[in-house]
C-alpha cells in the first residue's frame, strides 16, 4: 500500500529538516511525501528542495491557514493511507510506517492510531510527557478528550466519503475531523507503539485565551456531530489549572 504523508509548513527552517530526515529514514519505502508551504520567508523551501529524492510533491503558495493547507495536501494525495506529520514533529523511529501499514492488514480496518511523546523544543531525545491513547474511547470525546491526531493514519477513501478539515475552525479542526470520522463509524485500532515525537508548544496549547477558545470549538465540534458536551460548564465553574485537565488529564509523564 502507498502511504501519503502530508507536511504543512511556514517559516520552519529550524525544525523541518528533522521531519524530512525522519521520513527519509523509514524502512517502508512506498511513501508519497507531500509538503505544503505557505510562502515561507526563511530557508524552509530551500531545505525541502534538498530532499527531492523523497519529497514527492512540494508546493509553496499562499493559503488560508493550517487546515486549508492540509486540505490542499489531501486533494493531492494518491496513497491508500494518509497521515499528517507537522513540520516540527518527527516519526519516532525508522519502523513507524512499516508498523502502521501492518496495522491495516484486513479489510475491516479503516484507521490506526498510537501514542505520541512530547519532547523538549530543543532536544528531540529529551522526553517531557507521554500522550497515551491506551484508554481512549468514544465516550471520552464529550469531555474534550481525543486520540493523538498526529498518530492517526486513515484510508484515503474515508476522506473521500466524509470530507477533510473544516476551515471555519481555528484550532480544533483536527478534533472535529476525528470526532466526525469516529461518529460515522470509521473502524480504527490502536497500535501499542509511540509513533510520533512532538516538540512542546503550538497554537492549541498556548495560553489561557487559546485554551478557552479551543474548548469552545470542541463543544461546537461535538454538537455538530451529535455528541453532548459539558465542557462549557467546566470552563465557567473551574479555575484554569483544573480547566486544563479537561483536555490533558490522561496525558501522563513518560516512564
Amino acid at each position: 500500500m502507498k502511504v501519503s504523508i502530508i507536511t504543512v509548513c511556514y517559516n520552519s527552517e529550524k525544525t523541518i529538516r528533522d521531519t524530512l530526515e525522519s521520513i527519509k529514514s523509514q524502512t517502508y519505502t512506498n511513501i508519497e511525501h507531500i509538503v505544503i508551504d505557505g510562502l515561507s520567508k526563511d530557508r524552509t523551501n530551500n531545505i525541502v528542495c534538498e530532499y527531492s529524492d523523497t519529497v514527492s510533491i512540494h508546493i509553496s503558495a499562499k493559503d488560508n491557514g493550517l487546515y486549508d493547507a492540509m486540505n490542499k495536501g489531501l486533494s493531492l494525495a494518491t496513497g491508500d493511507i494518509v497521515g499528517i506529520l507537522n513540520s516540527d514533529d518527527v516519526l519516532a523511529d525508522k519502523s513507524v510506517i512499516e508498523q502502521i501499514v501492518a496495522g491495516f492488514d484486513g479489510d475491516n480496518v479503516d484507521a490506526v492510531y498510537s501514542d505520541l511523546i512530547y519532547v523538549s523544543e530543543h532536544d528531540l531525545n529529551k522526553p517531557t510527557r507521554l500522550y497515551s491513547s491506551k484508554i481512549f474511547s468514544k465516550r471520552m470525546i464529550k469531555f474534550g478528550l481525543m486520540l493523538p491526531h498526529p498518530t492517526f493514519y486513515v484510508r484515503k477513501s474515508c476522506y473521500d466519503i466524509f470530507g477533510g478539515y473544516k476551515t471555519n475552525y481555528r484550532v480544533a479542526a483536527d478534533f472535529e475531523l476525528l470526532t466526525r470520522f469516529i461518529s460515522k463509524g470509521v473502524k480504527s485500532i490502536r497500535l501499542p507503539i509511540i509513533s510520533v515525537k512532538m516538540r512542546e508548544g503550538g497554537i492549541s496549547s498556548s495560553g489561557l485565551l487559546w485554551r478557552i477558545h479551543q474548548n469552545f470549538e470542541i463543544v461546537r465540534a461535538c454538537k455538530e456531530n451529535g455528541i453532548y458536551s459539558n465542557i462549557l460548564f467546566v470552563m465557567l465553574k473551574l479555575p484554569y489549572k483544573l480547566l486544563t485537565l479537561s483536555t490533558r488529564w490522561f496525558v501522563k509523564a513518560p516512564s
Side-chain angles (χ1 to χ4, degrees):
M1 290 189 286
K2 181 194 287 187
V3 181
S4 295
I5 301 177
I6 299 168
T7 297
V8 171
C9 56
Y10 179 72
N11 290 345
S12 303
E13 66 177 7
K14 294 181 179 179
T15 60
I16 196 167
R17 188 180 296 276
D18 292 329
T19 306
L20 296 165
E21 283 289 341
S22 76
I23 293 176
K24 183 176 182 177
S25 67
Q26 290 299 298
T27 54
Y28 193 83
T29 57
N30 194 8
I31 296 175
E32 175 186 61
H33 190 195
I34 302 170
V35 179
I36 307 296
D37 176 76
L39 285 181
S40 290
K41 298 177 182 178
D42 62 5
R43 295 189 65 258
T44 297
N45 288 297
N46 300 84
I47 296 171
V48 175
C49 287
E50 295 177 24
Y51 290 81
S52 58
D53 56 332
T54 52
V55 174
S56 306
I57 301 173
H58 173 205
I59 293 176
S60 183
K62 183 176 175 58
D63 56 53
N64 293 315
L66 175 67
Y67 300 118
D68 177 54
M70 288 182 180
N71 284 338
K72 285 184 179 181
L74 288 174
S75 70
L76 296 169
T78 62
D80 305 290
I81 302 166
V82 180
I84 306 290
L85 187 66
N86 295 324
S87 60
D88 50 0
D89 302 340
V90 299
L91 298 173
D93 63 59
K94 297 179 180 180
S95 66
V96 164
I97 300 302
E98 186 174 352
Q99 294 181 76
I100 287 172
V101 171
F104 282 90
D105 186 21
D107 295 333
N108 61 335
V109 178
D110 297 318
V112 303
Y113 61 92
S114 48
D115 295 347
L116 176 153
I117 194 165
Y118 288 90
V119 296
S120 166
E121 181 181 359
H122 306 293
D123 187 353
L124 292 173
N125 295 313
K126 184 178 181 181
T128 57
R129 53 196 171 107
L130 175 67
Y131 187 166
S132 174
S133 62
K134 186 175 182 179
I135 63 172
F136 175 77
S137 66
K138 182 179 177 179
R139 64 182 177 81
M140 299 170 71
I141 295 175
K142 67 179 181 179
F143 299 107
L145 304 174
M146 182 53 73
L147 57 89
H149 173 252
T151 74
F152 184 74
Y153 282 72
V154 62
R155 293 186 188 275
K156 177 62 162 53
S157 57
C158 291
Y159 284 109
D160 296 335
I161 297 169
F162 303 120
Y165 296 89
K166 294 185 177 180
T167 56
N168 56 345
Y169 284 80
R170 297 183 69 187
V171 292
D174 47 356
F175 182 95
E176 190 283 327
L177 181 136
L178 292 175
T179 300
R180 188 185 343 135
F181 278 23
I182 292 169
S183 299
K184 295 294 186 181
V186 170
K187 298 176 182 178
S188 59
I189 63 168
R190 175 181 179 266
L191 301 179
I193 64 170
I194 295 173
S195 62
V196 175
K197 292 182 179 181
M198 174 182 279
R199 285 181 171 87
E200 289 281 7
I203 190 172
S204 62
S205 59
S206 333
L208 174 60
L209 292 179
W210 274 115
R211 178 68 67 180
I212 292 174
H213 182 81
Q214 181 187 46
N215 278 279
F216 270 106
E217 289 197 347
I218 286 172
V219 171
R220 180 174 143 214
C222 289
K223 183 178 180 181
E224 287 184 2
N225 290 284
I227 297 174
Y228 169 76
S229 174
N230 59 1
I231 294 178
L232 285 181
F233 173 81
V234 173
M235 289 172 60
L236 294 172
K237 297 296 183 181
L238 296 180
Y240 174 56
K241 286 188 178 180
L242 292 180
L243 167 62
T244 59
L245 296 178
S246 69
T247 55
R248 294 175 61 186
W249 68 268
F250 72 117
V251 177
K252 59 185 179 179
S255 58

